[in-house]
Amino acid sequence: MKELLNKWYKNHALVYKMLLFLVTTLFIVYLFPKTGKFRYSFEKGKPWQSENLYAPFNFAIQKTQEEINEEQLEIENNAPVYFEIDREIPETIKLNYITKFNEVFNDSTTSKRTLFRQGTDMVETLYENGILDTDYPYSNDKQVVLVASNNTVEKRIEYRGLIEINQLRNRLESFLKQSTSAENKNKMISLFFDIVKPNVTLNETLTKKTLEEELSQISHTRGSIDKDQLIISKGQVVEDEEYNILKSLKSEYESQVWNTANYNWVLVAYTLLVALALLMLLLFLQKYRLEVFQNNTKVTFIFFNIALMVLLTTLVINYNSQYIYVVPLCILPLVLKAFFDARLGLFSHVLTVLLLGFIVPNSYEYMFLQIIGGIVTILTVSELYKRANLFISVGQITLIYIIAYFAFFVIHEGQITTLKWDTFGLFILCGLATLFVQPLIYIYEKIFGLVSDVSLLELSDTNTKLLKKLSNKAPGTFHHSLNVANLAESAANEIGANAMLVRVGALYHDIGKMKNPTYFTENQSNGINPHDELSNRESAGVIVDHVLNGIEIAKKYNLPDRVIDFIRTHHGTSVVYYFYMKEKAENEDVQIEDFSYPGPKPFSKETAILMMCDSVEAASKSLKEPTTTKINDFVENIINKQMESGQFLNANITFKEIQSIKKVLKHKLANIYHLRIEYPE
């Protein structure tokens, strides 16, 4: 048992990666839609590329959304409107009419009796169908159903049969005969305006309920295809009818086959494919990015971002697949490039797009757009810490999206008259969402403890608290660090290394000297050398300790590990040569390890560059009457000694790159000492 625990402890990093791999795979498979995947791909207006297709089972042909919309519109136009009529109001109006008429016309002439009969007829006519309580926006030929208060149907008429309030005066004037005097006509109109009340109101609940019932009866299918019936032949163009049949088959297949006998097998197949994609990522990291692979935090960060993009895309598809292009998938390569490099960012992006191809509609079109977008992201975004660069790159990415989508639309439709301009707006929204990468990088730095070029830019500011402290306590060391930073940045640019990282590393590489600043010659301004009072071993110990002190100070000020690496490695395992030779002259029995730095040796191009530049800059102060020849020999000797002692064996730097760095250092030192070209005599 103890041996098993020891073995597990030794391989805990690998066990963690296996668990991370398994959890991420299962999570992504869980997000996948619970449907099968139709094996054939087809496009309207394109030839059928596969063999003759026969129906594998009986299925119904689904109507297109346009057909369903047309049927819905027709039902809505023809559906009757239900109005509730009150039959008690007309009886009340008749009684009120008699009373009111006698009050207005109190004589007993023949014309009064005639006028009374006309008024009685008008009441009957007005309330034959009813008077509306307000005007409604229906056409005159709209079918209307009049119902009682208990929803029993009384009659069916057209909307023109009902009287609207604004029509009342015209109706009254047309009822009164021409022989009626103007005075009596006005009295009658005023009388009716006093007694008339609406008795017909819209029954919205019944109207809506009836309409919904009729809409629910719409059939979503038309006709059917029998098993083994030929659907389409090889080479046949997929026209509208064939396209609808193929879409119906695809929908039926994905809804039935998955949910019956093949559920478990399809689930296993999805798991295998997702696991295969993630395994390729792990193998890539192990082969080409070993440093990342060995860091579980970084591997977790990469897997987390891939799973996050799959999650966001799935949520959008479940809500409305039309908004699929709003998801800012290009954030993934941007983030990975900011923390790692472009190659890893693009590789992860392509794998993520391949995974999303299982769940998005029009997968080929989507994958093409996103892969092209990822490539453009990697090619255009440089120096992410410069805000203008990000805006320009996002604009270019959005433009590429729009151009590619336009090309696909023309290929599918063969015209641009039906172009969906709303989709262009989705691409613009996607571009705006991509700008969120800046605050996202800051959040990731705090959560995962990573460092990006944005943070490096902040650390390169010489007004930071730590660098100010260095300039006050050890001004000579601070000046030396500035010179080394300038040399290292130029060398990094020459060989294509991370110039920002090596500059920051150079600024902080000697912060350990703040603890005992006067023990280093660049800070000795009064001519007193404290080493005169120490033994050679003690002096060497003080010199070596500045590396360990620097690491301690860096951790206290929360400097990133990538910067601390420069403090650890800038002397490698080299020897404090001056005190070693001095001790050897006094005592031949001396151990070189007592005068050596603890290491480790530089393990990247950037840390190797710093070692060269630090040694050359520090030793250059001892040059007397420098000439071009002296400087060339001086640089060659120092760097060659470092190569001979194996200081660069762990760094992925080539002889050619080292020669380029030598050339830069010679040129820079010549400029520092204001040397001119030595002309032959």
Side-chain angles (χ1 to χ4, degrees):
M1 184 66 180
K2 186 176 180 181
E3 292 180 0
L4 182 63
L5 290 174
N6 289 335
K7 188 175 181 181
W8 181 87
Y9 180 77
K10 290 178 181 178
N11 297 286
H12 71 279
L14 183 59
V15 173
Y16 176 83
K17 290 183 183 67
M18 292 173 63
L19 290 174
L20 178 66
F21 171 80
L22 181 62
V23 170
T24 308
T25 300
L26 295 178
F27 177 73
I28 293 176
V29 172
Y30 173 77
L31 294 175
F32 278 6
K34 303 300 183 288
T35 58
K37 193 71 176 178
F38 193 54
R39 64 180 295 185
Y40 302 103
S41 61
F42 54 91
E43 296 179 21
K44 187 188 295 185
K46 298 292 182 181
W48 178 257
Q49 300 294 336
S50 304
E51 298 296 328
N52 295 352
L53 179 62
Y54 296 89
F57 43 74
N58 299 332
F59 67 92
I61 303 174
Q62 296 180 353
K63 294 178 182 177
T64 64
Q65 190 60 45
E66 289 75 14
E67 292 174 328
I68 295 174
N69 291 341
E70 288 178 5
E71 290 188 29
Q72 290 177 343
L73 184 61
E74 185 178 357
I75 289 175
E76 290 172 358
N77 291 335
N78 297 330
V81 183
Y82 287 80
F83 284 89
E84 187 174 327
I85 186 167
D86 188 346
R87 290 302 185 184
E88 295 180 0
I89 290 180
E91 298 302 324
T92 304
I93 298 301
K94 289 177 183 179
L95 296 175
N96 292 340
Y97 168 70
I98 295 172
T99 304
K100 192 71 175 178
F101 184 85
N102 290 329
E103 292 178 358
V104 175
F105 300 96
N106 52 15
D107 57 345
S108 58
T109 60
T110 304
S111 61
K112 177 182 176 181
R113 290 193 294 271
T114 303
L115 200 60
F116 179 79
R117 286 196 302 272
Q118 289 181 3
T120 303
D121 293 340
M122 281 193 291
V123 173
E124 293 289 342
T125 303
L126 289 174
Y127 287 98
E128 179 181 1
N129 293 325
I131 300 175
L132 293 166
D133 59 338
T134 186
D135 298 341
Y136 294 96
Y138 298 118
S139 60
N140 288 331
D141 57 353
K142 182 69 175 178
Q143 292 297 311
V144 172
V145 179
L146 298 178
V147 297
S149 57
N150 59 358
N151 288 346
T152 57
V153 178
E154 291 203 356
K155 64 165 61 174
R156 296 175 182 272
I157 60 174
E158 292 182 345
Y159 182 75
R160 61 167 58 92
L162 297 172
I163 298 175
E164 296 178 344
I165 291 296
N166 61 358
Q167 298 175 344
L168 187 59
R169 175 175 288 277
N170 294 334
R171 292 291 184 101
L172 292 173
E173 290 179 349
S174 65
F175 285 146
L176 297 173
K177 295 181 178 179
Q178 297 294 329
S179 59
T180 305
S181 65
E183 182 182 355
N184 288 339
K185 183 186 293 187
N186 291 333
K187 287 181 179 181
M188 286 293 288
I189 291 174
S190 298
L191 186 153
F192 270 84
F193 269 104
D194 289 338
I195 64 172
V196 167
K197 292 181 180 179
N199 70 326
V200 177
T201 58
L202 178 65
N203 191 326
E204 294 184 6
T205 303
L206 186 57
T207 301
K208 185 177 180 181
K209 180 181 178 181
T210 306
L211 178 60
E212 289 176 349
E213 288 178 356
E214 293 190 25
L215 290 175
S216 65
Q217 294 176 3
I218 295 177
S219 174
H220 286 70
T221 62
R222 51 172 178 81
S224 62
I225 299 295
D226 297 328
K227 183 179 180 181
D228 297 329
Q229 180 179 338
L230 178 65
I231 296 177
I232 192 169
S233 303
K234 183 176 181 179
Q236 182 180 347
V237 177
V238 181
E239 301 292 353
D240 289 342
E241 184 63 21
E242 290 81 7
Y243 183 75
N244 292 336
I245 294 174
L246 288 170
K247 283 191 68 177
S248 302
L249 174 60
K250 179 181 179 181
S251 176
E252 191 72 16
Y253 175 85
E254 292 178 347
S255 62
Q256 288 188 2
V257 175
W258 173 273
N259 293 323
T260 55
N262 296 334
Y263 179 89
N264 292 331
W265 281 111
V266 176
L267 194 64
V268 170
Y270 269 140
T271 304
L272 288 175
L273 291 174
V274 174
L276 188 63
L278 295 179
L279 180 61
M280 294 302 104
L281 178 58
L282 285 176
L283 292 176
F284 174 86
L285 294 176
Q286 186 182 37
K287 187 172 179 63
Y288 298 106
R289 300 292 183 271
L290 186 59
E291 179 190 351
V292 177
F293 180 80
Q294 293 174 341
N295 189 318
N296 283 340
T297 302
K298 293 180 179 179
V299 176
T300 304
F301 174 73
I302 296 170
F303 275 62
F304 171 79
N305 277 278
I306 292 175
L308 179 63
M309 287 301 157
V310 176
L311 174 63
L312 288 177
T313 306
T314 304
L315 292 176
V316 171
I317 291 175
N318 292 338
Y319 175 71
N320 190 335
S321 61
Q322 293 181 353
Y323 299 131
I324 185 64
Y325 290 113
V326 174
V327 180
L329 202 63
C330 285
I331 280 184
L332 178 62
L334 273 175
V335 168
L336 295 183
K337 183 181 179 182
F339 288 109
F340 305 110
D341 60 86
R343 190 176 177 186
L344 175 56
L346 183 58
F347 190 87
S348 302
H349 177 74
V350 171
L351 285 181
T352 305
V353 173
L354 291 177
L355 292 175
L356 292 176
F358 291 114
I359 62 176
V360 297
N362 300 321
S363 56
Y364 176 78
E365 176 183 329
Y366 177 85
M367 290 166 64
F368 183 91
L369 284 174
Q370 295 296 357
I371 290 176
I372 291 296
I375 293 172
V376 172
T377 301
I378 294 298
L379 294 178
T380 59
V381 177
S382 59
E383 297 178 326
L384 190 61
Y385 54 86
K386 295 182 179 178
R387 289 171 294 180
N389 288 356
L390 180 61
F391 280 96
I392 294 171
S393 297
V394 167
Q396 293 172 335
I397 295 166
T398 305
L399 180 62
I400 292 298
Y401 272 142
I402 291 174
I403 293 173
Y405 173 77
F406 175 81
F408 269 111
F409 186 89
V410 173
I411 290 172
H412 291 162
E413 303 295 332
Q415 58 179 343
I416 61 173
T417 54
T418 58
L419 190 63
K420 298 178 181 178
W421 297 100
D422 294 346
T423 308
F424 293 161
L426 298 181
F427 290 130
I428 294 174
L429 289 176
C430 177
L432 294 176
T434 306
L435 295 175
F436 183 69
V437 70
Q438 284 281 19
L440 186 63
I441 287 174
Y442 177 79
I443 294 171
Y444 279 155
E445 287 179 335
K446 299 304 178 184
I447 295 175
F448 291 93
L450 300 173
V451 59
S452 67
D453 285 350
V454 180
S455 294
L456 292 177
L457 180 65
E458 295 174 355
L459 290 172
S460 67
D461 184 5
T462 54
N463 289 317
T464 59
K465 186 177 181 180
L466 184 54
L467 290 181
K468 273 193 170 183
K469 189 174 180 181
L470 177 64
S471 66
N472 291 330
K473 284 194 171 185
T477 299
F478 177 72
H479 185 262
H480 159 72
S481 298
L482 287 178
N483 291 338
V484 173
N486 292 331
L487 292 174
E489 185 177 18
S490 299
N493 286 326
E494 182 69 20
I495 66 170
N498 191 332
M500 179 63 69
L501 177 62
V502 75
R503 178 175 182 83
V504 173
L507 288 173
Y508 292 90
H509 78 284
D510 269 345
I511 56 174
K513 293 181 179 180
M514 285 193 295
K515 193 166 185 180
N516 297 300
T518 56
Y519 283 84
F520 301 90
T521 55
E522 65 266 24
N523 300 312
Q524 295 172 0
S525 57
N526 53 9
I528 300 174
N529 189 348
H531 289 287
D532 295 340
E533 300 177 3
L534 301 177
S535 67
N536 295 324
R537 290 179 185 273
E538 289 174 336
S539 295
V542 172
I543 300 298
V544 169
D545 282 347
H546 88 274
V547 172
L548 300 177
N549 294 334
I551 295 172
E552 184 181 337
I553 294 171
K555 289 182 177 180
K556 180 181 177 181
Y557 282 84
N558 296 318
L559 290 185
D561 288 339
R562 292 175 74 186
V563 177
I564 296 176
D565 288 340
F566 287 90
I567 302 174
R568 287 193 180 100
T569 61
H570 74 278
H571 285 295
T573 58
S574 60
V575 180
V576 185
Y577 198 72
Y578 175 81
F579 291 108
Y580 171 69
M581 294 304 294
K582 192 175 178 183
E583 179 68 18
K584 194 172 182 181
E586 299 174 4
N587 180 14
E588 293 186 1
D589 187 18
V590 59
Q591 297 294 326
I592 194 170
E593 292 80 8
D594 296 337
F595 293 84
S596 299
Y597 287 94
K601 297 176 181 179
F603 46 78
S604 66
K605 289 182 181 180
E606 288 77 15
T607 51
I609 289 170
L610 177 62
M611 173 179 274
M612 297 182 219
C613 296
D614 180 44
S615 301
V616 168
E617 201 285 332
S620 67
K621 299 296 188 293
S622 63
L623 281 174
K624 297 179 180 179
E625 299 181 1
T627 63
T628 302
T629 303
K630 282 185 179 181
I631 288 175
N632 291 348
D633 294 340
F634 168 77
V635 172
E636 290 286 345
N637 289 335
I638 290 179
I639 296 180
N640 287 343
K641 282 183 180 179
Q642 291 174 339
M643 292 172 63
E644 290 169 5
S645 63
Q647 297 299 324
F648 307 134
L649 291 178
N650 297 334
N652 57 336
I653 192 166
T654 64
F655 284 113
K656 182 178 180 181
E657 289 170 337
I658 293 175
Q659 289 302 119
S660 299
I661 293 170
K662 288 179 180 178
K663 183 179 178 181
V664 170
L665 294 177
K666 292 171 185 177
H667 177 70
K668 287 289 183 180
L669 288 178
N671 288 337
I672 290 172
Y673 290 107
H674 306 290
L675 298 179
R676 295 180 179 273
I677 299 174
E678 295 181 0
Y679 295 98
E681 295 181 359

Short mmCIF file of all heavy atoms in Angstrom, two decimals, residues 72-106:
data_model
loop_
_atom_site.label_atom_id
_atom_site.label_comp_id
_atom_site.label_asym_id
_atom_site.label_seq_id
_atom_site.Cartn_x
_atom_site.Cartn_y
_atom_site.Cartn_z
N GLN A 72 -50.69 30.18 -41.26
CA GLN A 72 -51.04 30.95 -40.08
C GLN A 72 -51.65 32.30 -40.45
O GLN A 72 -52.64 32.73 -39.86
CB GLN A 72 -49.81 31.13 -39.20
CG GLN A 72 -49.33 29.88 -38.51
CD GLN A 72 -48.06 30.10 -37.71
OE1 GLN A 72 -47.37 31.11 -37.91
NE2 GLN A 72 -47.73 29.18 -36.82
N LEU A 73 -51.04 32.95 -41.45
CA LEU A 73 -51.55 34.26 -41.88
C LEU A 73 -52.95 34.14 -42.46
O LEU A 73 -53.82 34.98 -42.20
CB LEU A 73 -50.59 34.86 -42.92
CG LEU A 73 -50.92 36.26 -43.41
CD1 LEU A 73 -50.91 37.25 -42.26
CD2 LEU A 73 -49.93 36.71 -44.49
N GLU A 74 -53.18 33.09 -43.23
CA GLU A 74 -54.51 32.88 -43.82
C GLU A 74 -55.56 32.64 -42.74
O GLU A 74 -56.67 33.18 -42.80
CB GLU A 74 -54.45 31.69 -44.78
CG GLU A 74 -55.75 31.45 -45.53
CD GLU A 74 -55.65 30.30 -46.50
OE1 GLU A 74 -54.56 29.72 -46.63
OE2 GLU A 74 -56.69 29.97 -47.13
N ILE A 75 -55.21 31.83 -41.73
CA ILE A 75 -56.15 31.58 -40.64
C ILE A 75 -56.43 32.85 -39.86
O ILE A 75 -57.59 33.14 -39.50
CB ILE A 75 -55.58 30.47 -39.72
CG1 ILE A 75 -55.62 29.12 -40.42
CG2 ILE A 75 -56.36 30.41 -38.41
CD1 ILE A 75 -54.97 28.01 -39.64
N GLU A 76 -55.39 33.64 -39.61
CA GLU A 76 -55.57 34.89 -38.87
C GLU A 76 -56.47 35.85 -39.63
O GLU A 76 -57.28 36.57 -39.03
CB GLU A 76 -54.22 35.53 -38.58
CG GLU A 76 -53.38 34.77 -37.56
CD GLU A 76 -51.98 35.32 -37.44
OE1 GLU A 76 -51.65 36.27 -38.17
OE2 GLU A 76 -51.20 34.79 -36.61
N ASN A 77 -56.33 35.87 -40.96
CA ASN A 77 -57.16 36.77 -41.77
C ASN A 77 -58.61 36.31 -41.83
O ASN A 77 -59.53 37.14 -41.87
CB ASN A 77 -56.59 36.88 -43.18
CG ASN A 77 -55.26 37.63 -43.22
OD1 ASN A 77 -54.99 38.44 -42.33
ND2 ASN A 77 -54.44 37.35 -44.21
N ASN A 78 -58.82 34.99 -41.86
CA ASN A 78 -60.17 34.44 -42.02
C ASN A 78 -60.85 34.13 -40.70
O ASN A 78 -62.06 33.84 -40.68
CB ASN A 78 -60.14 33.17 -42.88
CG ASN A 78 -59.66 33.46 -44.30
OD1 ASN A 78 -59.86 34.56 -44.82
ND2 ASN A 78 -59.02 32.48 -44.92
N ALA A 79 -60.11 34.13 -39.62
CA ALA A 79 -60.70 33.80 -38.33
C ALA A 79 -61.71 34.87 -37.92
O ALA A 79 -61.45 36.07 -38.05
CB ALA A 79 -59.61 33.66 -37.27
N PRO A 80 -62.90 34.47 -37.44
CA PRO A 80 -63.91 35.46 -37.04
C PRO A 80 -63.52 36.15 -35.74
O PRO A 80 -62.73 35.63 -34.95
CB PRO A 80 -65.17 34.61 -36.86
CG PRO A 80 -64.66 33.25 -36.50
CD PRO A 80 -63.37 33.09 -37.26
N VAL A 81 -64.12 37.34 -35.54
CA VAL A 81 -63.92 38.09 -34.32
C VAL A 81 -65.20 37.97 -33.49
O VAL A 81 -66.31 38.10 -34.02
CB VAL A 81 -63.62 39.57 -34.62
CG1 VAL A 81 -63.35 40.33 -33.33
CG2 VAL A 81 -62.42 39.68 -35.55
N TYR A 82 -65.05 37.72 -32.21
CA TYR A 82 -66.20 37.51 -31.33
C TYR A 82 -66.51 38.78 -30.55
O TYR A 82 -65.62 39.35 -29.89
CB TYR A 82 -65.93 36.35 -30.37
CG TYR A 82 -65.98 35.00 -31.04
CD1 TYR A 82 -64.89 34.53 -31.77
CD2 TYR A 82 -67.11 34.21 -30.95
CE1 TYR A 82 -64.94 33.29 -32.41
CE2 TYR A 82 -67.17 32.96 -31.58
CZ TYR A 82 -66.08 32.52 -32.30
OH TYR A 82 -66.13 31.30 -32.94
N PHE A 83 -67.81 39.22 -30.69
CA PHE A 83 -68.29 40.39 -29.95
C PHE A 83 -69.43 39.95 -29.04
O PHE A 83 -70.29 39.15 -29.44
CB PHE A 83 -68.78 41.48 -30.90
CG PHE A 83 -67.67 42.25 -31.56
CD1 PHE A 83 -67.13 41.82 -32.75
CD2 PHE A 83 -67.18 43.40 -30.98
CE1 PHE A 83 -66.11 42.52 -33.37
CE2 PHE A 83 -66.15 44.12 -31.59
CZ PHE A 83 -65.61 43.69 -32.78
N GLU A 84 -69.42 40.49 -27.84
CA GLU A 84 -70.49 40.19 -26.88
C GLU A 84 -71.56 41.27 -26.98
O GLU A 84 -71.25 42.46 -26.93
CB GLU A 84 -69.91 40.13 -25.47
CG GLU A 84 -70.91 39.66 -24.42
CD GLU A 84 -70.26 39.48 -23.07
OE1 GLU A 84 -69.07 39.09 -23.02
OE2 GLU A 84 -70.95 39.73 -22.05
N ILE A 85 -72.83 40.82 -27.16
CA ILE A 85 -73.94 41.76 -27.35
C ILE A 85 -74.87 41.72 -26.14
O ILE A 85 -75.14 40.65 -25.58
CB ILE A 85 -74.72 41.43 -28.65
CG1 ILE A 85 -75.77 42.51 -28.91
CG2 ILE A 85 -75.31 40.02 -28.61
CD1 ILE A 85 -76.36 42.43 -30.30
N ASP A 86 -75.32 42.89 -25.74
CA ASP A 86 -76.24 43.02 -24.60
C ASP A 86 -77.63 43.36 -25.13
O ASP A 86 -77.86 44.47 -25.63
CB ASP A 86 -75.74 44.11 -23.65
CG ASP A 86 -76.52 44.17 -22.35
OD1 ASP A 86 -77.61 43.55 -22.28
OD2 ASP A 86 -76.03 44.82 -21.40
N ARG A 87 -78.61 42.43 -25.06
CA ARG A 87 -79.95 42.62 -25.62
C ARG A 87 -80.87 43.38 -24.66
O ARG A 87 -81.99 43.76 -25.06
CB ARG A 87 -80.57 41.25 -25.92
CG ARG A 87 -79.93 40.52 -27.09
CD ARG A 87 -80.01 41.34 -28.36
NE ARG A 87 -79.50 40.61 -29.52
CZ ARG A 87 -79.39 41.15 -30.73
NH1 ARG A 87 -79.74 42.43 -30.92
NH2 ARG A 87 -78.92 40.44 -31.74
N GLU A 88 -80.45 43.65 -23.45
CA GLU A 88 -81.29 44.39 -22.52
C GLU A 88 -81.21 45.89 -22.76
O GLU A 88 -82.15 46.63 -22.47
CB GLU A 88 -80.87 44.07 -21.08
CG GLU A 88 -81.12 42.62 -20.69
CD GLU A 88 -80.70 42.34 -19.26
OE1 GLU A 88 -80.22 43.30 -18.61
OE2 GLU A 88 -80.86 41.19 -18.81
N ILE A 89 -80.09 46.35 -23.26
CA ILE A 89 -79.92 47.79 -23.50
C ILE A 89 -80.95 48.34 -24.49
O ILE A 89 -81.55 49.40 -24.24
CB ILE A 89 -78.48 48.09 -23.95
CG1 ILE A 89 -77.51 47.87 -22.77
CG2 ILE A 89 -78.35 49.51 -24.51
CD1 ILE A 89 -76.05 48.13 -23.11
N PRO A 90 -81.22 47.67 -25.65
CA PRO A 90 -82.24 48.21 -26.57
C PRO A 90 -83.61 48.41 -25.92
O PRO A 90 -84.30 49.40 -26.21
CB PRO A 90 -82.28 47.16 -27.68
CG PRO A 90 -80.96 46.52 -27.65
CD PRO A 90 -80.58 46.49 -26.22
N GLU A 91 -84.05 47.48 -25.03
CA GLU A 91 -85.35 47.63 -24.37
C GLU A 91 -85.35 48.87 -23.48
O GLU A 91 -86.33 49.61 -23.43
CB GLU A 91 -85.64 46.38 -23.54
CG GLU A 91 -85.74 45.09 -24.35
CD GLU A 91 -86.83 45.18 -25.42
OE1 GLU A 91 -87.87 45.82 -25.15
OE2 GLU A 91 -86.62 44.63 -26.52
N THR A 92 -84.23 49.07 -22.78
CA THR A 92 -84.13 50.27 -21.94
C THR A 92 -84.14 51.53 -22.79
O THR A 92 -84.77 52.55 -22.41
CB THR A 92 -82.84 50.21 -21.11
OG1 THR A 92 -82.81 48.99 -20.36
CG2 THR A 92 -82.74 51.39 -20.16
N ILE A 93 -83.47 51.48 -23.93
CA ILE A 93 -83.41 52.64 -24.83
C ILE A 93 -84.81 52.99 -25.34
O ILE A 93 -85.17 54.17 -25.45
CB ILE A 93 -82.44 52.38 -26.00
CG1 ILE A 93 -81.02 52.14 -25.47
CG2 ILE A 93 -82.46 53.53 -26.99
CD1 ILE A 93 -80.45 53.29 -24.68
N LYS A 94 -85.62 51.97 -25.65
CA LYS A 94 -86.99 52.23 -26.15
C LYS A 94 -87.82 52.97 -25.11
O LYS A 94 -88.55 53.92 -25.43
CB LYS A 94 -87.66 50.90 -26.50
CG LYS A 94 -87.10 50.24 -27.75
CD LYS A 94 -87.77 48.90 -28.00
CE LYS A 94 -87.15 48.19 -29.22
NZ LYS A 94 -87.76 46.87 -29.46
N LEU A 95 -87.73 52.55 -23.84
CA LEU A 95 -88.48 53.23 -22.78
C LEU A 95 -87.97 54.65 -22.58
O LEU A 95 -88.76 55.60 -22.42
CB LEU A 95 -88.36 52.44 -21.47
CG LEU A 95 -88.98 51.03 -21.47
CD1 LEU A 95 -88.69 50.33 -20.16
CD2 LEU A 95 -90.49 51.11 -21.71
N ASN A 96 -86.68 54.81 -22.60
CA ASN A 96 -86.09 56.16 -22.45
C ASN A 96 -86.49 57.05 -23.60
O ASN A 96 -86.67 58.27 -23.43
CB ASN A 96 -84.57 56.08 -22.34
CG ASN A 96 -84.12 55.42 -21.06
OD1 ASN A 96 -84.87 55.35 -20.09
ND2 ASN A 96 -82.87 54.93 -21.05
N TYR A 97 -86.62 56.45 -24.78
CA TYR A 97 -86.98 57.23 -25.97
C TYR A 97 -88.37 57.82 -25.81
O TYR A 97 -88.61 59.00 -26.13
CB TYR A 97 -86.91 56.34 -27.21
CG TYR A 97 -87.55 56.98 -28.44
CD1 TYR A 97 -86.96 58.09 -29.07
CD2 TYR A 97 -88.76 56.51 -28.92
CE1 TYR A 97 -87.56 58.68 -30.18
CE2 TYR A 97 -89.37 57.09 -30.03
CZ TYR A 97 -88.77 58.18 -30.65
OH TYR A 97 -89.37 58.77 -31.73
N ILE A 98 -89.33 57.02 -25.33
CA ILE A 98 -90.71 57.52 -25.18
C ILE A 98 -90.73 58.70 -24.22
O ILE A 98 -91.34 59.74 -24.49
CB ILE A 98 -91.62 56.38 -24.68
CG1 ILE A 98 -91.70 55.27 -25.74
CG2 ILE A 98 -93.01 56.91 -24.36
CD1 ILE A 98 -92.41 54.03 -25.27
N THR A 99 -90.08 58.53 -23.08
CA THR A 99 -90.07 59.59 -22.07
C THR A 99 -89.39 60.85 -22.60
O THR A 99 -89.92 61.97 -22.46
CB THR A 99 -89.34 59.10 -20.80
OG1 THR A 99 -89.95 57.90 -20.33
CG2 THR A 99 -89.37 60.15 -19.72
N LYS A 100 -88.28 60.68 -23.20
CA LYS A 100 -87.51 61.82 -23.69
C LYS A 100 -88.23 62.52 -24.83
O LYS A 100 -88.21 63.76 -24.94
CB LYS A 100 -86.11 61.33 -24.14
CG LYS A 100 -85.12 62.44 -24.41
CD LYS A 100 -84.69 63.11 -23.13
CE LYS A 100 -83.60 64.16 -23.38
NZ LYS A 100 -83.20 64.86 -22.15
N PHE A 101 -88.89 61.71 -25.70
CA PHE A 101 -89.59 62.31 -26.85
C PHE A 101 -90.72 63.21 -26.37
O PHE A 101 -90.92 64.31 -26.90
CB PHE A 101 -90.13 61.19 -27.75
CG PHE A 101 -90.78 61.71 -29.00
CD1 PHE A 101 -90.03 62.01 -30.13
CD2 PHE A 101 -92.16 61.92 -29.04
CE1 PHE A 101 -90.66 62.49 -31.28
CE2 PHE A 101 -92.77 62.41 -30.18
CZ PHE A 101 -92.01 62.70 -31.30
N ASN A 102 -91.47 62.73 -25.37
CA ASN A 102 -92.60 63.54 -24.87
C ASN A 102 -92.11 64.82 -24.20
O ASN A 102 -92.81 65.84 -24.20
CB ASN A 102 -93.42 62.72 -23.89
CG ASN A 102 -94.18 61.60 -24.60
OD1 ASN A 102 -94.57 61.75 -25.77
ND2 ASN A 102 -94.39 60.48 -23.90
N GLU A 103 -90.94 64.78 -23.62
CA GLU A 103 -90.40 66.00 -23.01
C GLU A 103 -89.98 67.01 -24.06
O GLU A 103 -90.16 68.22 -23.88
CB GLU A 103 -89.19 65.64 -22.13
CG GLU A 103 -89.55 64.84 -20.89
CD GLU A 103 -88.32 64.47 -20.10
OE1 GLU A 103 -87.19 64.82 -20.55
OE2 GLU A 103 -88.44 63.83 -19.03
N VAL A 104 -89.42 66.52 -25.18
CA VAL A 104 -88.92 67.43 -26.21
C VAL A 104 -90.06 67.95 -27.08
O VAL A 104 -90.12 69.14 -27.43
CB VAL A 104 -87.85 66.72 -27.06
CG1 VAL A 104 -87.41 67.61 -28.23
CG2 VAL A 104 -86.66 66.34 -26.21
N PHE A 105 -91.00 67.05 -27.44
CA PHE A 105 -92.13 67.43 -28.31
C PHE A 105 -93.41 67.28 -27.49
O PHE A 105 -93.97 66.19 -27.35
CB PHE A 105 -92.20 66.50 -29.54
CG PHE A 105 -90.96 66.54 -30.38
CD1 PHE A 105 -89.98 65.58 -30.20
CD2 PHE A 105 -90.76 67.53 -31.34
CE1 PHE A 105 -88.83 65.59 -30.97
CE2 PHE A 105 -89.61 67.54 -32.10
CZ PHE A 105 -88.64 66.58 -31.92
N ASN A 106 -93.89 68.42 -26.89
CA ASN A 106 -95.05 68.38 -26.00
C ASN A 106 -96.36 68.77 -26.68
O ASN A 106 -97.38 68.91 -26.03
CB ASN A 106 -94.81 69.27 -24.78
CG ASN A 106 -94.38 70.67 -25.21
OD1 ASN A 106 -94.51 71.05 -26.37
ND2 ASN A 106 -93.85 71.43 -24.23
#
